[in-house]
Amino acid sequence: MLWKIDAQSPQPLHEQLAGQIRRGIAARELAEGEKLPPARDLAKGLGVNMHTVLRAFQTLRDEGLLEVRRGRGTSVARDAESAARHVELARRLVEEARRAGLGDREILQLVEVQL
């Protein structure tokens, strides 16, 4: 899989990378258990700071999509495909709600009511 960073984009670099990895998991281009390149190598290849890559990895770990293990590297988590679909659905929900004129607090309240 080839990832690219657009330095001219208003989207933060770590979010660009996290989004591309997320889409790769959802599209089954990255398999569960598959190891990702080391952060240092990936950062060098993308021309970004290693902390940008680590931040993207951390975001995806928090979403349940990646397993980050010191000394063992980073790999796609078990059940990552399912988690990726849920994260994408949530993102679309928020985008649609914002287009409908709802603010973040209103969206959060709607979600909390459903829980």
Side-chain angles (χ1 to χ4, degrees):
M1 171 171 242
L2 180 64
W3 297 311
K4 294 181 181 178
I5 297 295
D6 180 3
Q8 305 304 316
S9 172
Q11 185 180 30
L13 302 178
H14 73 278
E15 288 180 13
Q16 290 181 46
L17 178 57
Q20 290 177 54
I21 295 170
R22 195 180 291 114
R23 283 187 292 279
I25 292 169
R28 297 183 179 175
E29 294 170 358
L30 291 169
E32 294 176 4
E34 185 173 341
K35 289 190 84 167
L36 296 174
R40 186 178 312 268
D41 296 347
L42 187 52
K44 186 176 180 183
L46 292 171
V48 298
N49 187 292
M50 183 178 71
H51 294 286
T52 298
V53 174
L54 292 173
R55 189 167 178 192
F57 284 2
Q58 181 69 38
T59 296
L60 296 170
R61 185 192 70 107
D62 292 347
E63 292 175 7
L65 301 177
L66 295 181
E67 292 178 356
V68 180
R69 297 188 183 197
R70 186 171 287 215
R72 291 187 177 192
T74 303
S75 60
V76 177
R78 291 180 345 139
D79 299 326
E81 185 181 322
S82 175
R85 283 195 306 273
H86 291 114
V87 168
E88 188 57 33
L89 286 172
R91 286 186 194 287
R92 281 193 259 155
L93 168 75
V94 171
E95 287 173 10
E96 288 296 320
R98 285 179 178 156
R99 271 192 279 247
L102 296 175
D104 290 347
R105 283 191 178 174
E106 293 168 301
I107 297 167
L108 184 58
Q109 287 173 341
L110 286 171
V111 171
E112 287 176 339
V113 167
Q114 300 304 314
L115 299 176

